């Protein structure tokens, strides 16, 4: 009897069952691995291609950057050469004018004592009617040069005979003042917002960001200017050619003209000319007056006021070297140990001056920072930005309070903050903005207390008086305004409940009229007696804060439409 095969022995010719199930799975796994390998190889190839493209683009960018830098260097060299040529011609013109002045003075009638029609290159004379004194003087000079000499016997004739023999006066009658004021000094030019006043790395080397503003935004449709009884006008005849010599002061590249209608209470002279390698965007003196800080491209520089020596250069080496990074605001701490800088990269850097190192960096703004201000006790620093906010930063715990503008005026629908100031008692923060309004907040609560309306165009600068009772603002409407804010501190709780349309409780009590172009900066002297304003018309004007009367006009920079890489320090 044949026996059955053992249980674990397979019948010849038949495959083992476990092997039959495992082989398909092995093939599928191998196929999946091959597919993944092919996809990985394709990704590697794409990566290599992208690297090659990136390297090509970087090479092109570097080439273009080098070309732009070469163009900039060429332009700078051309500008330097042109400046030398211009200075040579200005010196020659000044010498010739002095010779002409000496000749005219020799023939000046006794009825016009000290009259010397000397002009300065680059300063246009004020509009005047045909047949003015200067024209008549020139005609008399010409007649004296070309005509026969005066007969000495003519002087001994009776007055009536001399009057009959005298050449008749062919001048036109003097125009009324109202008619003279209608003569435009120059055409209105559109000034971009503060973030476009200087080149910006974000906007490229040749573009300016204007937030969609055009020249028409500054004209025609503006509300009427506030006309208060104490509005003071600029003397039309106040120019270097129209005042006696004792009311003018002139240097090699600057001059000052004093108002002959008021008592001369100030004097000024050039102390230092501080040259910079790049645009000077902002300046500030330390509280003790010993040092001067300037903000430039990528660096803040500190000078000794007495010697004019540069004692410190502050630069953040961690920032990339490509492009520009302009510092828009610099502020000393009250003790003079720290310097705050606000720049286009939206950061506020607090520098330890002695160690030349960054102590703190405040981050939070979403657009460029245009203005900074320390409280007198050093506890807070205020910042203003184009993101429509002002911020109160605590220097101890680095916390911040955000003051947001939500009630944008309808002028241009842009309320970017251009300037901030904190009151001497540390209780109020004022901010000027592009929408023509000056807003005032309570520091302790962050509540909006006041909206000061009156300017017809963007407000570019604000400053409290030392006693905290007044606020001065400067605007693109070419005026300054003095606001009485003495009642804000006592009525903070009541004012915090005001609505946007309510009537302001801080009136404008004085207007300062005189600048011929945009007012870009204002300041108040430490004794509270003088207001100083800088304008796009290239002039700095000193005003009596009591009655808005002009004391004198100073011009020391030759370029106003674009920044100029130098700084004049005068006393």
């Amino acid at each position: 009897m044949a026996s059955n095969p053992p249980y674990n022995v397979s019948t010849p010719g038949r495959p083992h069952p476990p092997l039959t199930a495992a082989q398909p799975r092995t093939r599928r796994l191998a196929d999946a691995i091959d597919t993944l390998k092919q996809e990985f190889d394709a990704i590697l190839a794409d990566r290599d291609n992208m690297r090659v493209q990136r390297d090509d683009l970087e090479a092109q960018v570097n080439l273009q950057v080098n070309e732009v830098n070469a163009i900039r260097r060429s332009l700078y060299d051309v500008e330097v050469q042109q400046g030398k040529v211009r200075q040579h011609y200005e010196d020659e013109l000044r010498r010739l004018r002095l010779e002409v002045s000496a000749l005219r003075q020799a023939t000046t009638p006794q009825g016009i004592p000290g009259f010397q029609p000397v002009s300065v290159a680059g300063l246009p004379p004020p509009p005047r009617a045909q047949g003015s004194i200067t024209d008549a003087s020139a005609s008399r000079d010409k007649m004296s040069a070309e005509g026969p000499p005066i007969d000495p016997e003519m002087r001994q004739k009776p007055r009536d005979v001399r009057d009959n023999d005298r050449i008749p006066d062919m001048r036109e009658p003097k125009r009324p003042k109202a008619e003279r004021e209608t003569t435009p000094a120059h055409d209105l030019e559109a000034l971009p917002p503060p973030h476009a006043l200087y080149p910006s790395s974000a906007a490229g080397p040749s573009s300016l960001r204007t937030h969609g503003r055009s020249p028409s935004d500054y004209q025609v449709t503006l509300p009427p200017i506030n006309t208060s009884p104490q509005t003071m006008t600029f003397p039309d005849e106040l120019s270097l050619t129209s005042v006696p010599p004792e009311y003018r002061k002139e240097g090699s590249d600057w001059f000052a003209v004093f108002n002959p209608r008021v008592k001369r209470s100030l004097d000024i002279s050039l102390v230092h000319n501080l040259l910079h390698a790049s645009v000077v965007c902002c300046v500030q003196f330390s509280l003790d007056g010993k040092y001067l800080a300037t903000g430039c491209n990528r660096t803040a520089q500190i000078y000794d006021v007495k010697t004019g020596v540069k004692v410190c250069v502050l630069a953040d080496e961690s920032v990339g070297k490509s492009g520009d990074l302009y510092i828009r605001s610099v502020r000393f701490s009250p003790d003079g140990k720290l310097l705050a800088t606000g720049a286009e990269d939206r950061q506020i850097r607090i520098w330890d001056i002695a160690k030349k190192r960054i102590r703190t960096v405040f981050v939070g703004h979403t657009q460029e920072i245009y203005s900074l201000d320390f409280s007198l006790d050093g506890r807070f620093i205020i910042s203003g930005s184009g993101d429509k906010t002002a911020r109160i930063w605590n220097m101890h715990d680095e916390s911040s309070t955000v003051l947001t503008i939500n009630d944008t005026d309808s002028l241009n629908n842009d309320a970017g903050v251009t300037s901030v100031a904190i009151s001497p008692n540390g209780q109020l923060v004022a901010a000027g903005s592009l929408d023509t309004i000056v807003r005032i907040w309570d520091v302790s609560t962050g509540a909006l207390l006041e909206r000061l309306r009156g300017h017809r165009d963007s407000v570019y600068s604000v400053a409290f008086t030392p006693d905290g009772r007044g606020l001065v603002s400067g605007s693109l409407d070419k005026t300054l305004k003095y606001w009485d804010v003495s009642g804000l501190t006592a009525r903070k709780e009541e004012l915090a409940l005001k609505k946007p349309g309510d009537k302001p409780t801080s009136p404008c009590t004085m207007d300062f009229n005189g600048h011929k172009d945009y007012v870009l900066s204002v300041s108040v002297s430490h004794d509270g007696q003088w207001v100083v304003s800088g304008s796009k018309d290239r002039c700095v004007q000193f005003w009596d804060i009591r009655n808005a009367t002009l004391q004198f006009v100073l011009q020391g920079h030759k370029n106003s439409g674009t920044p100029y890489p130098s700084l004049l320090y005068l006393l």
Side-chain angles (χ1 to χ4, degrees):
M1 180 175 178
S3 61
N4 292 330
Y7 176 77
N8 58 349
V9 178
S10 302
T11 305
R14 296 180 63 185
H16 195 280
L19 296 177
T20 303
Q23 288 179 351
R25 287 195 296 270
T26 303
R27 286 196 299 271
R28 288 196 298 272
L29 181 61
D31 294 340
I33 292 175
D34 291 338
T35 302
L36 290 175
K37 183 178 180 182
Q38 293 174 3
E39 293 180 354
F40 182 74
D41 292 338
I43 292 173
L44 289 178
D46 292 340
R47 184 200 65 181
D48 294 338
N49 292 332
M50 293 179 67
R51 284 181 175 177
V52 172
Q53 295 177 4
R54 183 199 63 186
D55 294 339
D56 292 341
L57 291 175
E58 287 182 351
Q60 294 178 9
V61 169
N62 291 332
L63 180 61
Q64 293 179 0
V65 169
N66 292 333
E67 291 177 354
V68 170
N69 290 333
I71 293 173
R72 285 181 175 178
R73 287 193 295 269
S74 300
L75 289 176
Y76 178 75
D77 294 339
V78 171
E79 183 180 2
V80 171
Q81 186 64 26
Q82 189 267 347
K84 293 180 180 178
V85 174
R86 180 178 179 181
Q87 184 64 38
H88 171 74
Y89 281 112
E90 286 180 351
D91 294 340
E92 187 67 17
L93 286 174
R94 186 176 291 108
R95 184 184 65 81
L96 294 174
R97 284 178 177 141
L98 290 175
E99 293 180 0
V100 172
S101 174
L103 293 175
R104 289 182 176 178
Q105 186 176 8
T107 58
T108 299
Q110 296 298 325
I112 313 178
F115 180 80
Q116 298 179 12
V118 181
S119 180
V120 169
L123 179 67
R128 61 176 183 266
Q130 181 180 358
S132 63
I133 293 177
T134 305
D135 296 334
S137 177
S139 301
R140 287 193 296 270
D141 292 343
K142 183 176 180 181
M143 291 174 61
S144 299
E146 298 179 357
I150 301 176
D151 186 1
E153 296 180 359
M154 183 69 178
R155 300 181 180 275
Q156 300 181 5
K157 292 182 179 182
R159 179 178 297 274
D160 55 349
V161 176
R162 281 185 291 169
D163 293 340
N164 293 333
D165 294 341
R166 184 176 298 152
I167 298 175
D169 189 353
M170 302 302 295
R171 295 177 294 175
E172 296 180 3
K174 186 177 180 181
R175 292 185 299 174
K177 183 176 181 181
E179 182 180 351
R180 293 201 309 271
E181 292 177 350
T182 59
T183 304
H186 52 76
D187 295 333
L188 185 65
E189 299 174 356
L191 182 71
H195 43 275
L197 285 176
Y198 307 104
S200 171
S201 57
S206 62
S207 62
L208 291 176
R209 290 165 291 167
T210 61
H211 278 223
R213 304 186 76 187
S214 64
S216 60
D217 292 331
Y218 300 101
Q219 306 175 15
V220 182
T221 58
L222 302 174
I225 192 169
N226 174 30
T227 55
S228 67
Q230 297 192 33
T231 297
M232 304 300 294
T233 58
F234 183 84
D236 294 334
E237 69 278 8
L238 189 59
S239 68
L240 197 64
T241 61
S242 62
V243 298
E246 61 269 22
Y247 288 102
R248 57 177 182 249
K249 195 169 185 178
E250 186 175 2
S252 60
D253 55 357
W254 66 276
F255 65 87
V257 181
F258 293 83
N259 189 353
R261 297 181 179 178
V262 299
K263 180 182 178 181
R264 182 168 171 175
S265 303
L266 297 175
D267 197 7
I268 193 164
S269 60
L270 179 64
V271 179
H272 302 299
N273 190 354
L274 308 178
L275 298 178
H276 290 66
S278 71
V279 171
V280 179
C281 301
C282 52
V283 297
Q284 201 225 1
F285 286 100
S286 60
L287 193 60
D288 58 11
K290 295 182 178 180
Y291 297 97
L292 175 71
T294 65
C296 306
N297 186 12
R298 296 186 167 275
T299 65
Q301 305 177 26
I302 301 178
Y303 293 84
D304 186 303
V305 168
K306 185 177 181 179
T307 63
V309 175
K310 186 189 301 183
V311 297
C312 184
V313 177
L314 304 176
D316 189 351
E317 300 298 339
S318 65
V319 179
K321 302 300 182 181
S322 61
D324 295 328
L325 182 61
Y326 288 97
I327 295 176
R328 300 297 181 80
S329 183
V330 291
R331 281 295 182 274
F332 282 100
S333 62
D335 59 8
K337 297 180 179 180
L338 305 176
L339 184 73
T341 62
E344 292 181 326
D345 61 357
R346 312 165 190 174
Q347 296 183 11
I348 303 170
R349 295 172 175 84
I350 309 298
W351 295 84
D352 187 319
I353 298 176
K355 298 179 180 178
K356 298 183 181 180
R357 293 190 305 197
I358 297 176
R359 170 179 167 179
T360 308
V361 177
F362 292 121
V363 179
H365 283 294
T366 59
Q367 291 190 26
E368 292 91 335
I369 296 167
Y370 303 133
S371 181
L372 300 172
D373 195 18
F374 264 107
S375 61
L376 285 182
D377 58 7
R379 292 176 53 203
F380 303 107
I381 185 169
I382 315 301
S383 59
S385 167
D387 60 8
K388 303 181 183 180
T389 69
R391 289 177 180 252
I392 305 173
W393 305 88
N394 191 308
M395 291 292 294
H396 299 301
D397 59 16
E398 300 183 10
S399 62
S400 67
T401 301
V402 182
L403 310 175
T404 305
I405 298 177
N406 297 316
D407 56 335
T408 304
D409 190 81
S410 59
L411 174 69
N412 51 27
N413 199 31
D414 188 354
V417 177
T418 60
S419 179
V420 293
I422 186 169
S423 61
N425 61 10
Q427 298 184 14
L428 304 176
V429 169
S433 64
L434 295 175
D435 66 352
T436 77
I437 300 177
V438 178
R439 294 171 175 84
I440 301 178
W441 286 273
D442 182 2
V443 171
S444 59
T445 64
L448 179 62
L449 303 179
E450 187 70 287
R451 302 168 183 84
L452 305 179
R453 302 175 185 267
H455 281 295
R456 299 187 301 160
D457 210 334
S458 301
V459 178
Y460 263 48
S461 187
V462 292
F464 279 99
T465 57
D467 60 7
R469 300 177 62 85
L471 180 73
V472 180
S473 59
S475 167
L476 300 191
D477 62 11
K478 309 178 188 178
T479 70
L480 292 79
K481 291 183 179 295
Y482 180 94
W483 309 86
D484 182 2
V485 296
S486 57
L488 290 182
T489 304
R491 303 174 57 195
K492 289 192 298 183
E493 294 79 6
E494 175 185 349
L495 295 173
L497 303 177
K498 288 179 56 177
K499 298 179 180 179
D502 293 345
K503 184 178 179 180
T505 58
S506 303
C508 173
T509 59
M510 284 185 290
D511 287 331
F512 301 72
N513 295 317
H515 280 294
K516 307 303 181 184
D517 215 325
Y518 310 124
V519 177
L520 303 179
S521 60
V522 298
S523 182
V524 182
S525 62
H526 291 296
D527 58 9
Q529 297 184 18
W530 306 99
V531 174
V532 185
S533 57
S535 167
K536 191 172 178 286
D537 61 12
R538 304 183 298 173
C539 292
V540 178
Q541 298 188 3
F542 289 72
W543 310 83
D544 190 328
I545 199 172
R546 298 169 299 177
N547 49 27
T549 301
L550 181 67
Q551 174 72 199
F552 72 91
V553 178
L554 168 68
Q555 181 171 330
H557 291 281
K558 300 178 182 178
N559 200 332
S560 61
T562 57
Y564 195 71
S566 70
L567 177 68
L568 296 174
Y569 170 45
L570 303 106
L571 282 178

